[in-house]
Amino acid sequence: MEFDQVQPRKNTYSIKWDGAAAVYHHKEVLPMWIADMDFQSPPAVVKAICEQAQRGIYGYVTEPQTTRVPQVIADWLQKQNDWQINRHFLGYSAGVVNGLSLAIRALTQEGDAIITQTPLYGHFQSAVESSKRRLVTNPLHQHNGRYEFDWQLFEQQIQTKQVKMAILCNPHNPTGRVWTIAELKQFAQICERHQVIILSDDIHSDLILPGYHYQPLAKVYPEYQDQIITFKSPSKTFNLAGLQFAYYYTTNKQYRQQMTQQAAYACDPDLPTAFALPAVIAAYEQSDEWLLDLLCYLKDNLQWMTAQIETTTAAKVTRSEATYLSWIDVSYLRVSEKALQTALADHGVGLQTNEDFGLSAKDGLFIRLNFATARKTLEEGVNRLIEALQSLEHK
């Protein structure tokens, strides 16, 4: 199986691998932190990029809307999500975070409050705070090991904090929850009651593990679709983050215009790289079977990893429904986050902990682990993690 092949990634300009030593202060650290996969992209994508490279000219790239990419995206969303969109309502950015930041700056004012759930994807916080907006954190709570919304608190915070915008992560990073249709509708209805704009980060929406089903918020609650902007990208699904391509969709013409104007004001056209457009076409048109095989491999990796960790330690691995990121509760250790980080680094495994996800000591102690790697590499990383946890158990 191609996913079982260990891919050498050191000295390849990879932030995950070549940047890990500086972050974790360990020359031989095994990086399982940043969210990209240690798998080659689909063969069709590699072929398309090679053909583009062989042309030998890497000049400025045409804007996506002038190519057939919008129709390719529309066809993909129809096929994957049974979601019929108008391709003329798409916008583009170099990445989902770029698009989110653009929407924040275009559609809110400095000092406005923006709410999102914790544990959060760290770039949500930086996107809000660097734009001089106020971040309101709405904690998810665990029920039978599954993360859920606290609806009463969510609406209360929107009212008392005068929230203008909400960022939804669907499916959720880092907990791996795939929100149900009922949950999505309730989220939208609360926002509708208080006229809160919704930014829905759906970057992991193609990485739904077997047995679960994702739905776009704007599709399941069309009554409020003019106040919803959905952000997607093939980057996580097909390991294309370095190609700098994402897109967003909203039926609100005014919002699209305001975002375009904001980008022009910032002199930030966000054009894709010379390889992005042919790669997107190859991914969405020719890589379905590869994606199905990937999801099966990820499911097997998660099951193996969960069994190993939970039979050798008291850690609890959240039952992820999507993504290739595992959320692990190690609160039983009763140690500080600093002590945990030190132990992990000493044992040569690079992982992210509480502070990267907007959590403090009162929330418990957590680790996020990227299991999108060859089983041999995963085994080594999990063994190092287990040894680090065991070294802390009696401290």
PDB file of all heavy atoms in Angstrom, residues 195-224:
ATOM      1  N   GLN A 195     -28.504  38.208  14.506  1.00  0.00           N
ATOM      2  CA  GLN A 195     -27.891  38.775  13.305  1.00  0.00           C
ATOM      3  C   GLN A 195     -26.370  38.724  13.357  1.00  0.00           C
ATOM      4  O   GLN A 195     -25.671  39.721  13.116  1.00  0.00           O
ATOM      5  CB  GLN A 195     -28.397  40.192  13.071  1.00  0.00           C
ATOM      6  CG  GLN A 195     -29.864  40.253  12.644  1.00  0.00           C
ATOM      7  CD  GLN A 195     -30.120  39.474  11.350  1.00  0.00           C
ATOM      8  OE1 GLN A 195     -29.675  39.876  10.279  1.00  0.00           O
ATOM      9  NE2 GLN A 195     -30.829  38.350  11.442  1.00  0.00           N
ATOM     10  N   VAL A 196     -25.870  37.535  13.653  1.00  0.00           N
ATOM     11  CA  VAL A 196     -24.432  37.281  13.721  1.00  0.00           C
ATOM     12  C   VAL A 196     -23.983  36.662  12.396  1.00  0.00           C
ATOM     13  O   VAL A 196     -24.540  35.657  11.947  1.00  0.00           O
ATOM     14  CB  VAL A 196     -24.092  36.339  14.894  1.00  0.00           C
ATOM     15  CG1 VAL A 196     -22.615  35.954  14.869  1.00  0.00           C
ATOM     16  CG2 VAL A 196     -24.449  37.007  16.220  1.00  0.00           C
ATOM     17  N   ILE A 197     -22.986  37.247  11.774  1.00  0.00           N
ATOM     18  CA  ILE A 197     -22.408  36.689  10.543  1.00  0.00           C
ATOM     19  C   ILE A 197     -21.642  35.414  10.898  1.00  0.00           C
ATOM     20  O   ILE A 197     -20.938  35.365  11.911  1.00  0.00           O
ATOM     21  CB  ILE A 197     -21.457  37.702   9.880  1.00  0.00           C
ATOM     22  CG1 ILE A 197     -22.191  38.997   9.534  1.00  0.00           C
ATOM     23  CG2 ILE A 197     -20.809  37.102   8.628  1.00  0.00           C
ATOM     24  CD1 ILE A 197     -21.255  40.131   9.133  1.00  0.00           C
ATOM     25  N   ILE A 198     -21.743  34.384  10.051  1.00  0.00           N
ATOM     26  CA  ILE A 198     -21.070  33.111  10.313  1.00  0.00           C
ATOM     27  C   ILE A 198     -19.982  32.867   9.273  1.00  0.00           C
ATOM     28  O   ILE A 198     -20.241  32.892   8.065  1.00  0.00           O
ATOM     29  CB  ILE A 198     -22.062  31.931  10.283  1.00  0.00           C
ATOM     30  CG1 ILE A 198     -23.169  32.137  11.324  1.00  0.00           C
ATOM     31  CG2 ILE A 198     -21.327  30.617  10.539  1.00  0.00           C
ATOM     32  CD1 ILE A 198     -24.281  31.103  11.228  1.00  0.00           C
ATOM     33  N   LEU A 199     -18.771  32.618   9.743  1.00  0.00           N
ATOM     34  CA  LEU A 199     -17.684  32.124   8.906  1.00  0.00           C
ATOM     35  C   LEU A 199     -17.511  30.651   9.234  1.00  0.00           C
ATOM     36  O   LEU A 199     -17.200  30.298  10.369  1.00  0.00           O
ATOM     37  CB  LEU A 199     -16.383  32.883   9.193  1.00  0.00           C
ATOM     38  CG  LEU A 199     -16.425  34.404   9.164  1.00  0.00           C
ATOM     39  CD1 LEU A 199     -15.028  34.981   9.382  1.00  0.00           C
ATOM     40  CD2 LEU A 199     -17.024  34.926   7.863  1.00  0.00           C
ATOM     41  N   SER A 200     -17.715  29.791   8.257  1.00  0.00           N
ATOM     42  CA  SER A 200     -17.635  28.351   8.483  1.00  0.00           C
ATOM     43  C   SER A 200     -16.376  27.792   7.825  1.00  0.00           C
ATOM     44  O   SER A 200     -16.262  27.759   6.601  1.00  0.00           O
ATOM     45  CB  SER A 200     -18.878  27.655   7.918  1.00  0.00           C
ATOM     46  OG  SER A 200     -18.899  26.289   8.280  1.00  0.00           O
ATOM     47  N   ASP A 201     -15.424  27.375   8.663  1.00  0.00           N
ATOM     48  CA  ASP A 201     -14.169  26.796   8.177  1.00  0.00           C
ATOM     49  C   ASP A 201     -14.384  25.301   7.977  1.00  0.00           C
ATOM     50  O   ASP A 201     -14.418  24.532   8.932  1.00  0.00           O
ATOM     51  CB  ASP A 201     -13.060  27.057   9.200  1.00  0.00           C
ATOM     52  CG  ASP A 201     -11.739  26.397   8.814  1.00  0.00           C
ATOM     53  OD1 ASP A 201     -11.692  25.679   7.800  1.00  0.00           O
ATOM     54  OD2 ASP A 201     -10.745  26.589   9.544  1.00  0.00           O
ATOM     55  N   ASP A 202     -14.516  24.897   6.724  1.00  0.00           N
ATOM     56  CA  ASP A 202     -14.810  23.500   6.383  1.00  0.00           C
ATOM     57  C   ASP A 202     -13.620  22.834   5.685  1.00  0.00           C
ATOM     58  O   ASP A 202     -13.789  21.954   4.846  1.00  0.00           O
ATOM     59  CB  ASP A 202     -16.035  23.437   5.471  1.00  0.00           C
ATOM     60  CG  ASP A 202     -17.311  23.905   6.160  1.00  0.00           C
ATOM     61  OD1 ASP A 202     -17.218  24.684   7.128  1.00  0.00           O
ATOM     62  OD2 ASP A 202     -18.404  23.507   5.727  1.00  0.00           O
ATOM     63  N   ILE A 203     -12.413  23.242   6.056  1.00  0.00           N
ATOM     64  CA  ILE A 203     -11.229  22.763   5.350  1.00  0.00           C
ATOM     65  C   ILE A 203     -11.037  21.254   5.478  1.00  0.00           C
ATOM     66  O   ILE A 203     -10.474  20.606   4.592  1.00  0.00           O
ATOM     67  CB  ILE A 203      -9.961  23.522   5.823  1.00  0.00           C
ATOM     68  CG1 ILE A 203      -8.800  23.292   4.848  1.00  0.00           C
ATOM     69  CG2 ILE A 203      -9.578  23.121   7.236  1.00  0.00           C
ATOM     70  CD1 ILE A 203      -7.600  24.184   5.105  1.00  0.00           C
ATOM     71  N   HIS A 204     -11.525  20.653   6.561  1.00  0.00           N
ATOM     72  CA  HIS A 204     -11.362  19.206   6.760  1.00  0.00           C
ATOM     73  C   HIS A 204     -12.584  18.412   6.290  1.00  0.00           C
ATOM     74  O   HIS A 204     -12.705  17.223   6.606  1.00  0.00           O
ATOM     75  CB  HIS A 204     -11.117  18.905   8.242  1.00  0.00           C
ATOM     76  CG  HIS A 204      -9.792  19.385   8.756  1.00  0.00           C
ATOM     77  ND1 HIS A 204      -8.617  18.690   8.564  1.00  0.00           N
ATOM     78  CD2 HIS A 204      -9.450  20.488   9.460  1.00  0.00           C
ATOM     79  CE1 HIS A 204      -7.614  19.343   9.133  1.00  0.00           C
ATOM     80  NE2 HIS A 204      -8.090  20.438   9.672  1.00  0.00           N
ATOM     81  N   SER A 205     -13.479  19.041   5.534  1.00  0.00           N
ATOM     82  CA  SER A 205     -14.772  18.415   5.257  1.00  0.00           C
ATOM     83  C   SER A 205     -14.717  17.229   4.303  1.00  0.00           C
ATOM     84  O   SER A 205     -15.695  16.486   4.191  1.00  0.00           O
ATOM     85  CB  SER A 205     -15.741  19.460   4.707  1.00  0.00           C
ATOM     86  OG  SER A 205     -15.247  20.057   3.527  1.00  0.00           O
ATOM     87  N   ASP A 206     -13.621  17.030   3.606  1.00  0.00           N
ATOM     88  CA  ASP A 206     -13.482  15.832   2.771  1.00  0.00           C
ATOM     89  C   ASP A 206     -12.829  14.683   3.535  1.00  0.00           C
ATOM     90  O   ASP A 206     -12.767  13.561   3.029  1.00  0.00           O
ATOM     91  CB  ASP A 206     -12.649  16.139   1.524  1.00  0.00           C
ATOM     92  CG  ASP A 206     -13.344  17.110   0.588  1.00  0.00           C
ATOM     93  OD1 ASP A 206     -14.571  16.984   0.420  1.00  0.00           O
ATOM     94  OD2 ASP A 206     -12.674  17.996   0.043  1.00  0.00           O
ATOM     95  N   LEU A 207     -12.343  14.974   4.738  1.00  0.00           N
ATOM     96  CA  LEU A 207     -11.640  13.963   5.526  1.00  0.00           C
ATOM     97  C   LEU A 207     -12.563  13.409   6.604  1.00  0.00           C
ATOM     98  O   LEU A 207     -12.260  13.416   7.799  1.00  0.00           O
ATOM     99  CB  LEU A 207     -10.383  14.573   6.149  1.00  0.00           C
ATOM    100  CG  LEU A 207      -9.299  14.975   5.134  1.00  0.00           C
ATOM    101  CD1 LEU A 207      -8.235  15.830   5.800  1.00  0.00           C
ATOM    102  CD2 LEU A 207      -8.668  13.736   4.506  1.00  0.00           C
ATOM    103  N   ILE A 208     -13.695  12.903   6.169  1.00  0.00           N
ATOM    104  CA  ILE A 208     -14.684  12.331   7.074  1.00  0.00           C
ATOM    105  C   ILE A 208     -14.442  10.827   7.161  1.00  0.00           C
ATOM    106  O   ILE A 208     -14.469  10.125   6.147  1.00  0.00           O
ATOM    107  CB  ILE A 208     -16.111  12.616   6.580  1.00  0.00           C
ATOM    108  CG1 ILE A 208     -16.293  14.114   6.295  1.00  0.00           C
ATOM    109  CG2 ILE A 208     -17.133  12.126   7.599  1.00  0.00           C
ATOM    110  CD1 ILE A 208     -16.023  15.032   7.464  1.00  0.00           C
ATOM    111  N   LEU A 209     -14.193  10.339   8.368  1.00  0.00           N
ATOM    112  CA  LEU A 209     -13.860   8.930   8.531  1.00  0.00           C
ATOM    113  C   LEU A 209     -15.083   8.047   8.263  1.00  0.00           C
ATOM    114  O   LEU A 209     -16.225   8.487   8.456  1.00  0.00           O
ATOM    115  CB  LEU A 209     -13.315   8.693   9.941  1.00  0.00           C
ATOM    116  CG  LEU A 209     -12.009   9.451  10.250  1.00  0.00           C
ATOM    117  CD1 LEU A 209     -11.573   9.232  11.687  1.00  0.00           C
ATOM    118  CD2 LEU A 209     -10.892   9.034   9.293  1.00  0.00           C
ATOM    119  N   PRO A 210     -14.858   6.816   7.793  1.00  0.00           N
ATOM    120  CA  PRO A 210     -15.975   5.933   7.442  1.00  0.00           C
ATOM    121  C   PRO A 210     -16.984   5.811   8.586  1.00  0.00           C
ATOM    122  O   PRO A 210     -16.620   5.629   9.741  1.00  0.00           O
ATOM    123  CB  PRO A 210     -15.268   4.601   7.169  1.00  0.00           C
ATOM    124  CG  PRO A 210     -13.901   4.994   6.689  1.00  0.00           C
ATOM    125  CD  PRO A 210     -13.539   6.201   7.497  1.00  0.00           C
ATOM    126  N   GLY A 211     -18.269   5.941   8.222  1.00  0.00           N
ATOM    127  CA  GLY A 211     -19.339   5.828   9.215  1.00  0.00           C
ATOM    128  C   GLY A 211     -19.936   7.159   9.628  1.00  0.00           C
ATOM    129  O   GLY A 211     -20.953   7.186  10.340  1.00  0.00           O
ATOM    130  N   TYR A 212     -19.334   8.274   9.200  1.00  0.00           N
ATOM    131  CA  TYR A 212     -19.826   9.601   9.585  1.00  0.00           C
ATOM    132  C   TYR A 212     -20.156  10.411   8.324  1.00  0.00           C
ATOM    133  O   TYR A 212     -19.687  10.089   7.236  1.00  0.00           O
ATOM    134  CB  TYR A 212     -18.798  10.332  10.452  1.00  0.00           C
ATOM    135  CG  TYR A 212     -18.483   9.577  11.724  1.00  0.00           C
ATOM    136  CD1 TYR A 212     -17.369   8.753  11.814  1.00  0.00           C
ATOM    137  CD2 TYR A 212     -19.342   9.667  12.818  1.00  0.00           C
ATOM    138  CE1 TYR A 212     -17.103   8.036  12.978  1.00  0.00           C
ATOM    139  CE2 TYR A 212     -19.076   8.956  13.989  1.00  0.00           C
ATOM    140  CZ  TYR A 212     -17.950   8.149  14.055  1.00  0.00           C
ATOM    141  OH  TYR A 212     -17.699   7.438  15.208  1.00  0.00           O
ATOM    142  N   HIS A 213     -20.945  11.472   8.524  1.00  0.00           N
ATOM    143  CA  HIS A 213     -21.423  12.234   7.368  1.00  0.00           C
ATOM    144  C   HIS A 213     -21.382  13.731   7.673  1.00  0.00           C
ATOM    145  O   HIS A 213     -21.944  14.182   8.672  1.00  0.00           O
ATOM    146  CB  HIS A 213     -22.848  11.811   7.010  1.00  0.00           C
ATOM    147  CG  HIS A 213     -22.971  10.351   6.699  1.00  0.00           C
ATOM    148  ND1 HIS A 213     -22.601   9.818   5.484  1.00  0.00           N
ATOM    149  CD2 HIS A 213     -23.388   9.308   7.472  1.00  0.00           C
ATOM    150  CE1 HIS A 213     -22.797   8.500   5.516  1.00  0.00           C
ATOM    151  NE2 HIS A 213     -23.271   8.167   6.697  1.00  0.00           N
ATOM    152  N   TYR A 214     -20.746  14.462   6.796  1.00  0.00           N
ATOM    153  CA  TYR A 214     -20.639  15.920   6.915  1.00  0.00           C
ATOM    154  C   TYR A 214     -21.693  16.605   6.058  1.00  0.00           C
ATOM    155  O   TYR A 214     -22.053  16.113   4.982  1.00  0.00           O
ATOM    156  CB  TYR A 214     -19.237  16.353   6.482  1.00  0.00           C
ATOM    157  CG  TYR A 214     -19.161  17.733   5.878  1.00  0.00           C
ATOM    158  CD1 TYR A 214     -18.974  18.861   6.680  1.00  0.00           C
ATOM    159  CD2 TYR A 214     -19.293  17.917   4.494  1.00  0.00           C
ATOM    160  CE1 TYR A 214     -18.909  20.132   6.118  1.00  0.00           C
ATOM    161  CE2 TYR A 214     -19.225  19.189   3.927  1.00  0.00           C
ATOM    162  CZ  TYR A 214     -19.043  20.286   4.749  1.00  0.00           C
ATOM    163  OH  TYR A 214     -18.989  21.529   4.191  1.00  0.00           O
ATOM    164  N   GLN A 215     -22.167  17.761   6.546  1.00  0.00           N
ATOM    165  CA  GLN A 215     -23.046  18.599   5.761  1.00  0.00           C
ATOM    166  C   GLN A 215     -22.602  20.059   5.887  1.00  0.00           C
ATOM    167  O   GLN A 215     -22.232  20.507   6.979  1.00  0.00           O
ATOM    168  CB  GLN A 215     -24.500  18.484   6.252  1.00  0.00           C
ATOM    169  CG  GLN A 215     -25.156  17.145   5.961  1.00  0.00           C
ATOM    170  CD  GLN A 215     -25.438  16.952   4.475  1.00  0.00           C
ATOM    171  OE1 GLN A 215     -25.648  17.916   3.740  1.00  0.00           O
ATOM    172  NE2 GLN A 215     -25.431  15.711   4.025  1.00  0.00           N
ATOM    173  N   PRO A 216     -22.628  20.831   4.806  1.00  0.00           N
ATOM    174  CA  PRO A 216     -22.314  22.260   4.888  1.00  0.00           C
ATOM    175  C   PRO A 216     -23.452  23.011   5.583  1.00  0.00           C
ATOM    176  O   PRO A 216     -24.634  22.738   5.324  1.00  0.00           O
ATOM    177  CB  PRO A 216     -22.192  22.691   3.422  1.00  0.00           C
ATOM    178  CG  PRO A 216     -22.167  21.429   2.608  1.00  0.00           C
ATOM    179  CD  PRO A 216     -22.881  20.406   3.416  1.00  0.00           C
ATOM    180  N   LEU A 217     -23.085  23.949   6.440  1.00  0.00           N
ATOM    181  CA  LEU A 217     -24.088  24.719   7.170  1.00  0.00           C
ATOM    182  C   LEU A 217     -25.017  25.472   6.229  1.00  0.00           C
ATOM    183  O   LEU A 217     -26.241  25.499   6.426  1.00  0.00           O
ATOM    184  CB  LEU A 217     -23.383  25.703   8.115  1.00  0.00           C
ATOM    185  CG  LEU A 217     -24.274  26.660   8.899  1.00  0.00           C
ATOM    186  CD1 LEU A 217     -25.232  25.900   9.802  1.00  0.00           C
ATOM    187  CD2 LEU A 217     -23.420  27.614   9.729  1.00  0.00           C
ATOM    188  N   ALA A 218     -24.473  26.121   5.203  1.00  0.00           N
ATOM    189  CA  ALA A 218     -25.293  26.912   4.291  1.00  0.00           C
ATOM    190  C   ALA A 218     -26.293  26.055   3.524  1.00  0.00           C
ATOM    191  O   ALA A 218     -27.346  26.545   3.096  1.00  0.00           O
ATOM    192  CB  ALA A 218     -24.405  27.676   3.309  1.00  0.00           C
ATOM    193  N   LYS A 219     -25.984  24.781   3.370  1.00  0.00           N
ATOM    194  CA  LYS A 219     -26.904  23.872   2.682  1.00  0.00           C
ATOM    195  C   LYS A 219     -28.052  23.461   3.601  1.00  0.00           C
ATOM    196  O   LYS A 219     -29.214  23.440   3.183  1.00  0.00           O
ATOM    197  CB  LYS A 219     -26.147  22.633   2.194  1.00  0.00           C
ATOM    198  CG  LYS A 219     -27.057  21.582   1.577  1.00  0.00           C
ATOM    199  CD  LYS A 219     -26.346  20.248   1.416  1.00  0.00           C
ATOM    200  CE  LYS A 219     -27.330  19.154   1.034  1.00  0.00           C
ATOM    201  NZ  LYS A 219     -26.711  17.808   1.069  1.00  0.00           N
ATOM    202  N   VAL A 220     -27.737  23.124   4.847  1.00  0.00           N
ATOM    203  CA  VAL A 220     -28.776  22.592   5.739  1.00  0.00           C
ATOM    204  C   VAL A 220     -29.649  23.690   6.333  1.00  0.00           C
ATOM    205  O   VAL A 220     -30.741  23.415   6.825  1.00  0.00           O
ATOM    206  CB  VAL A 220     -28.175  21.736   6.874  1.00  0.00           C
ATOM    207  CG1 VAL A 220     -27.358  20.589   6.308  1.00  0.00           C
ATOM    208  CG2 VAL A 220     -27.336  22.570   7.822  1.00  0.00           C
ATOM    209  N   TYR A 221     -29.167  24.944   6.292  1.00  0.00           N
ATOM    210  CA  TYR A 221     -29.990  26.043   6.795  1.00  0.00           C
ATOM    211  C   TYR A 221     -29.978  27.189   5.785  1.00  0.00           C
ATOM    212  O   TYR A 221     -29.419  28.259   6.026  1.00  0.00           O
ATOM    213  CB  TYR A 221     -29.492  26.526   8.162  1.00  0.00           C
ATOM    214  CG  TYR A 221     -30.552  27.305   8.917  1.00  0.00           C
ATOM    215  CD1 TYR A 221     -31.673  26.668   9.450  1.00  0.00           C
ATOM    216  CD2 TYR A 221     -30.439  28.680   9.065  1.00  0.00           C
ATOM    217  CE1 TYR A 221     -32.650  27.380  10.121  1.00  0.00           C
ATOM    218  CE2 TYR A 221     -31.417  29.406   9.735  1.00  0.00           C
ATOM    219  CZ  TYR A 221     -32.518  28.748  10.260  1.00  0.00           C
ATOM    220  OH  TYR A 221     -33.505  29.462  10.929  1.00  0.00           O
ATOM    221  N   PRO A 222     -30.606  26.980   4.628  1.00  0.00           N
ATOM    222  CA  PRO A 222     -30.580  27.995   3.563  1.00  0.00           C
ATOM    223  C   PRO A 222     -31.303  29.283   3.945  1.00  0.00           C
ATOM    224  O   PRO A 222     -31.086  30.316   3.308  1.00  0.00           O
ATOM    225  CB  PRO A 222     -31.269  27.282   2.394  1.00  0.00           C
ATOM    226  CG  PRO A 222     -32.125  26.226   3.027  1.00  0.00           C
ATOM    227  CD  PRO A 222     -31.350  25.771   4.224  1.00  0.00           C
ATOM    228  N   GLU A 223     -32.160  29.225   4.976  1.00  0.00           N
ATOM    229  CA  GLU A 223     -32.882  30.419   5.404  1.00  0.00           C
ATOM    230  C   GLU A 223     -31.938  31.550   5.814  1.00  0.00           C
ATOM    231  O   GLU A 223     -32.308  32.731   5.780  1.00  0.00           O
ATOM    232  CB  GLU A 223     -33.804  30.092   6.595  1.00  0.00           C
ATOM    233  CG  GLU A 223     -34.878  29.062   6.291  1.00  0.00           C
ATOM    234  CD  GLU A 223     -34.439  27.645   6.622  1.00  0.00           C
ATOM    235  OE1 GLU A 223     -33.227  27.352   6.474  1.00  0.00           O
ATOM    236  OE2 GLU A 223     -35.305  26.834   7.027  1.00  0.00           O
ATOM    237  N   TYR A 224     -30.695  31.184   6.180  1.00  0.00           N
ATOM    238  CA  TYR A 224     -29.749  32.189   6.666  1.00  0.00           C
ATOM    239  C   TYR A 224     -28.484  32.234   5.806  1.00  0.00           C
ATOM    240  O   TYR A 224     -27.480  32.794   6.193  1.00  0.00           O
ATOM    241  CB  TYR A 224     -29.390  31.873   8.125  1.00  0.00           C
ATOM    242  CG  TYR A 224     -28.797  33.032   8.910  1.00  0.00           C
ATOM    243  CD1 TYR A 224     -29.479  34.244   9.034  1.00  0.00           C
ATOM    244  CD2 TYR A 224     -27.558  32.913   9.535  1.00  0.00           C
ATOM    245  CE1 TYR A 224     -28.948  35.299   9.762  1.00  0.00           C
ATOM    246  CE2 TYR A 224     -27.018  33.966  10.274  1.00  0.00           C
ATOM    247  CZ  TYR A 224     -27.712  35.156  10.378  1.00  0.00           C
ATOM    248  OH  TYR A 224     -27.185  36.205  11.109  1.00  0.00           O
TER     249      TYR A 224
END
